[in-house]
Amino acid sequence: MTTINPATTSEAEPSTRANPFPGADTHGWTRSFSEALALATDLPPLVTDVIAAYVVRPKRYLTKARTETFHRLRPGVIVKDERTGLRILSVTMHGFAGTPTEYNERVRSAFHSPAQLDASPDRVLPRLTTGFGPNGTALPFVTTVEPVEPAVLNKLLFIMDSALTKADQKRDYDLAEDMTVVGQTNRTMHVPFVRTITENHQGIPVIRTAVDLVAIKGSNRSRARLKLHGLTARNIAFGVPASKLDLPEPKPGQPAPPEHIADPGTWAPIFADTLREAFDTTGHRLHDTAQAAAEVATVSMQIIVGADNPAEFHNTVFDPNRADHRRPQLVYPLAEKSTSDMRAVLRAAKASGRITEPVRAWLAGEDSEPDALPGSATDARDRRDRALLAMAFPKELEHDREVARVLGEPDRYYDSREENVTLRLRMLSAAIAEGYRTRWNPRLLDGTLYSSFIAKRGTLAGRPDWRTALEQAEADTTQLPDFLVTRGLHWLAEHGMVEADRGSADGQQGPGRRSGVSARNALLLKPVQAIALMREIARANDTGTSPRQIDETGAPVDGTVADRTWFSVTFPKTGRRKKKADDRPSASDSTPPQQPEEDPEQDLLNAQLRLVMSLSSELPQSFLAVLAVAREAIVAGTAAGKPVLADLPSYSVEVMEQALTRLKRDLVAMQAGLTDMKVDTEVTIESLTEQSANAEGEQ
């Protein structure tokens, strides 16, 4: 039986999605985690308090001997990477923890080198160094040799953001949108960066510190997570707006809170509680933000907190990032890369004599099945699917090692990685899709197996045929997850009932995108309907028709089609629950941050982004809302046996017609304005709708 990852299995009621935001933890456990981390790493409280503020349920990472009065980190929470000598803390953190870094190898070319003759000072990255304690001891965090001016840091962060945007555009999907559906499947790696910023507070020079957990691996993923939470790297350095926090009203005589709060020890727990409240409260100003960030409400994260040579920490800490960029992944589409990986695995199996050339060609999608057996189309396809399952996750140790060598995986026993399981799942899913009428996104199976599935000798070989598998699931519903992962999700994807994300092979669009984990969890809550749906899909495949909808008793409903909308309503998304908060002063710098002057280029970029969002999303959504009302009126008219506008005063009809005429002309003017904006610095867009609104306001 397949080992399914229980961490991604929902415990929520089928009709409602549980709030995925855990809220802040108790002050006492957060403080204990900070102290335990300091004890284990020699990091100063300035840093450990910030890390602890982001940790979800810190209690689970702590232990205490009966003879001791203080807590220590549990064994295994910090592990040494023998290849790099780095000590890595692995914890679950709030999804708004961690930021991209301007020192990432991927964006270095966007900055000027100090060696350039015409280098612009505000485009040169400040030199990094290892942090030091009061006695000169090297400590495992990075900082800059000299403090940085606010305007310079603001410019550097803007350059970084622009460079990452350009790099992200090379993807065949939007990363932030992808995360709203599938969440984050691979962990990011971070390091504490103590920024020192020179500021002027009412004529007094001040050096403010801001502790940032910058990404060594996963800058774009970190940036996308912040974006979904309504934050940017700039907020971490210069403060989160108080408008994003549910702050208590100040008591009489107390000063109002600052407009921006930069100390994570203060804003992080408040923001965690705010998001939890916003998720369940439709009218909350951050409700849409919480809904968008739900899949990354919490994430697994790695933080580098030590090294063999502390004095060289600022150099060695970037080794994992440099290694990744010396061996970059191929840039062609994921479906193509994944099927190429499977072809390489099949070539190796053929070369070693495990399979014949006709079998290799069949499994690679290059030829028909050799010595085909009689049976239905579903039977034939299922034989190929099961053979590919055994090739990707074989039972024999020698065969599995062969697959690992082809894919360049590390030794399974010493360095099992979640990304290796994910890449094999994508390879498998893409290869299976070659035998179907529709090619889906290979990310469909992401997260459905344990991250240690390979290391623990997991196998997908020896699966029963689809008929037997469904009979077993009917007798024992614990068998159903295995069928859904190995066959069912692909069956659903072929008929468009689920799609992994915008990066799908066919550029799929529309509502109802969700991860395979989400679809699986929803199906498990209704096993009778789920099993009946699988049988109905098999029938439809064999007869060349569309699958019918299934009622709650498991009976197909004649005259209906099981499409994506029906599936999303019948098997709604599910979620998970978590915990609450407390209070204590942080050792991090609580100095109110001075806001840097806005850069004209940054203002332009922000305006561009707002314009894109308004025209591409907000305007269509407004029209869809009006369209829905119009269709509702048509239905009401049909039910009443009257034309929709019957008995309506003529002036009401005229008002609607005039409004539509004005909007039509305004859209033409806006389209012409967009053309002008490409070449002119000053563009005027006249609006009849605006003129009408102004005239009504003056009356």
Side-chain angles (χ1 to χ4, degrees):
M1 175 179 166
T2 305
T3 307
I4 306 298
N5 186 350
T8 57
T9 302
S10 170
E11 298 176 357
E13 293 296 325
S15 59
T16 59
R17 178 179 182 178
N19 193 323
F21 294 93
D25 212 282
T26 61
H27 169 62
W29 285 115
T30 300
R31 179 180 60 190
S32 294
F33 181 92
S34 174
E35 293 169 349
L37 180 59
L39 183 66
T41 63
D42 293 328
L43 282 168
L46 170 73
V47 174
T48 60
D49 272 3
V50 169
I51 295 175
Y54 293 120
V55 175
V56 174
R57 294 181 182 172
K59 176 181 178 181
R60 59 182 160 177
Y61 302 111
L62 301 175
T63 184
K64 183 170 68 173
R66 292 182 179 179
T67 58
E68 294 177 332
T69 59
F70 54 88
H71 288 86
R72 296 181 184 272
L73 293 180
R74 290 183 180 276
V77 176
I78 295 178
V79 176
K80 179 180 177 180
D81 185 328
E82 296 297 338
R83 294 170 305 164
T84 62
L86 298 173
R87 274 75 169 175
I88 299 174
L89 170 75
S90 295
V91 289
T92 297
M93 306 189 85
H94 294 291
F96 51 81
T99 62
T101 176
E102 61 271 38
Y103 293 89
N104 190 295
E105 294 292 320
R106 193 177 190 185
V107 298
R108 282 298 185 98
S109 62
F111 298 93
H112 288 179
S113 165
Q116 284 181 236
L117 294 177
D118 58 348
S120 175
D122 61 355
R123 298 187 73 93
V124 174
L125 291 172
R127 189 157 60 91
L128 287 179
T129 185
T130 298
F132 289 89
N135 59 357
T137 303
L139 299 177
F141 66 88
V142 297
T143 187
T144 52
V145 174
E146 300 289 342
V148 182
E149 296 284 342
V152 173
L153 178 55
N154 188 49
K155 180 75 170 182
L156 295 174
L157 294 178
F158 170 66
I159 295 170
M160 172 199 70
D161 195 64
S162 300
L164 285 174
T165 296
K166 290 181 180 178
D168 214 18
Q169 288 171 347
K170 295 178 182 179
R171 301 175 188 269
D172 58 354
Y173 63 98
D174 184 280
L175 181 57
E177 289 188 12
D178 183 69
M179 283 186 171
T180 64
V181 180
V182 301
Q184 179 177 294
T185 56
N186 293 326
R187 286 179 295 185
T188 53
M189 181 181 289
H190 302 257
V191 66
F193 183 6
V194 178
R195 298 185 185 274
T196 53
I197 307 169
T198 58
E199 298 182 344
N200 189 308
H201 290 210
Q202 298 178 341
I204 301 174
V206 173
I207 295 181
R208 181 174 62 84
T209 60
V211 180
D212 201 349
L213 299 180
V214 296
I216 298 300
K217 300 175 75 171
S219 267
N220 268 348
R221 279 172 279 162
S222 299
R223 190 176 75 124
R225 285 202 316 267
L226 284 177
K227 178 182 177 181
L228 291 176
H229 285 88
L231 301 176
T232 66
R234 188 181 181 279
N235 293 138
I236 309 305
F238 296 110
V240 172
S243 60
K244 291 184 178 293
L245 307 171
D246 287 346
L247 296 168
E249 289 293 331
K251 296 179 180 179
Q254 289 185 338
E259 293 184 2
H260 293 80
I261 302 174
D263 178 8
T266 299
W267 71 259
I270 298 174
F271 192 52
D273 285 338
T274 300
L275 289 170
R276 181 165 179 80
E277 176 68 21
F279 182 85
D280 287 328
T281 308
T282 305
H284 197 285
R285 65 192 182 287
L286 296 187
H287 178 69
D288 290 343
T289 298
Q291 292 287 324
E295 294 295 332
V296 288
T298 62
V299 291
S300 296
M301 190 176 292
Q302 295 180 325
I303 304 171
I304 302 173
V305 292
D308 282 346
N309 186 349
E312 283 295 302
F313 184 75
H314 64 287
N315 280 326
T316 58
V317 77
F318 286 98
D319 282 348
N321 182 243
R322 296 187 182 111
D324 281 355
H325 287 82
R326 285 196 302 270
R327 299 187 296 274
Q329 291 184 340
L330 298 177
V331 295
Y332 50 85
L334 177 61
E336 301 299 335
K337 180 186 184 305
S338 298
T339 51
S340 177
D341 286 342
M342 180 58 88
R343 285 193 292 270
V345 168
L346 294 173
R347 283 197 301 270
K350 158 67 168 52
S352 64
R354 297 184 189 280
I355 58 175
T356 63
E357 172 56 24
V359 171
R360 184 210 65 79
W362 169 52
L363 296 181
E366 299 169 2
D367 204 349
S368 57
E369 180 181 8
D371 303 321
L373 300 173
S376 68
T378 301
D379 293 335
R381 197 165 62 178
D382 190 60
R383 285 193 294 274
R384 181 174 180 272
D385 291 356
R386 287 183 286 127
L388 286 168
L389 291 170
M391 294 301 302
F393 294 93
K395 181 178 181 180
E396 304 83 2
L397 178 58
E398 184 182 355
H399 189 184
D400 186 74
R401 284 175 173 168
E402 181 181 87
V403 175
R405 285 195 299 272
V406 172
L407 299 178
E409 295 175 358
D411 190 299
R412 64 191 295 169
Y413 300 111
Y414 300 107
D415 195 10
S416 173
R417 295 182 181 178
E418 181 180 2
E419 56 262 35
N420 300 134
V421 178
T422 298
L423 289 176
R424 283 206 201 186
L425 283 171
R426 292 176 179 178
M427 173 185 77
L428 172 65
S429 189
I432 286 176
E434 294 283 332
Y436 286 65
R437 290 169 293 191
T438 301
R439 293 187 69 191
W440 51 79
N441 190 322
R443 293 181 180 85
L444 184 65
L445 298 185
D446 284 8
T448 55
L449 299 181
Y450 273 122
S451 60
S452 58
F453 189 74
I454 296 174
K456 293 184 177 179
R457 300 283 304 274
T459 178
L460 297 184
R463 291 299 181 269
D465 67 84
W466 70 271
R467 286 189 175 87
T468 303
L470 285 178
E471 289 172 1
Q472 292 175 350
E474 203 164 35
D476 179 4
T477 55
T478 62
Q479 302 295 313
L480 182 57
D482 184 271
F483 179 83
L484 295 178
V485 170
T486 58
R487 266 74 59 92
L489 292 179
H490 291 153
W491 291 15
L492 294 170
E494 182 186 29
H495 290 278
M497 284 184 243
V498 296
E499 52 180 321
D501 53 45
R502 290 183 68 91
S504 60
D506 293 327
Q508 300 160 332
Q509 297 189 15
R513 293 185 197 92
R514 61 201 300 182
S515 68
V517 169
S518 169
R520 180 202 65 190
N521 292 346
L523 287 161
L524 293 178
L525 294 171
K526 299 181 178 180
V528 173
Q529 267 183 296
I531 293 171
L533 176 60
M534 294 300 121
R535 289 198 171 106
E536 172 60 17
I537 291 175
R539 182 206 62 80
N541 287 338
D542 292 338
T543 59
T545 59
S546 296
R548 296 168 293 181
Q549 296 175 12
I550 304 297
D551 64 23
E552 293 183 356
T553 68
V557 181
D558 290 335
T560 64
V561 174
D563 57 14
R564 189 189 312 165
T565 301
W566 171 81
F567 183 85
S568 297
V569 172
T570 306
F571 302 98
K573 292 183 180 181
T574 59
R576 282 203 308 263
R577 287 199 177 271
K578 293 199 170 102
K579 198 176 170 191
K580 262 270 175 201
D582 204 340
D583 176 32
R584 165 241 191 200
S586 170
S588 54
D589 193 335
S590 59
T591 305
Q594 175 187 345
Q595 298 305 298
E597 294 183 4
E598 292 291 347
D599 185 275
E601 290 185 47
Q602 192 166 359
D603 288 341
L604 174 59
L605 178 61
N606 291 335
Q608 289 171 337
L609 294 175
R610 289 197 301 272
L611 180 59
V612 171
M613 179 61 69
S614 295
L615 289 182
S616 65
S617 178
E618 294 172 1
L619 183 59
Q621 288 299 323
S622 297
F623 176 74
L624 289 176
V626 174
L627 185 62
V629 174
R631 287 174 173 167
E632 186 179 310
I634 293 171
V635 171
T638 301
K642 289 185 177 182
V644 175
L645 302 181
D647 305 326
L648 195 66
S650 59
Y651 68 82
S652 297
V653 178
E654 292 173 3
V655 166
M656 291 189 290
E657 291 175 340
Q658 290 170 2
L660 289 173
T661 299
R662 288 193 294 266
L663 286 170
K664 182 178 179 180
R665 293 181 181 177
D666 284 354
L667 288 174
V668 173
M670 178 64 76
Q671 192 166 26
L674 290 179
T675 302
D676 294 340
M677 289 179 195
K678 297 176 183 177
V679 293
D680 295 340
T681 56
E682 295 186 10
V683 179
T684 300
I685 302 176
E686 299 292 341
S687 168
L688 294 176
T689 302
E690 182 181 41
Q691 294 172 10
S692 176
N694 291 338
E696 291 177 1
E698 293 172 357
Q699 293 177 358

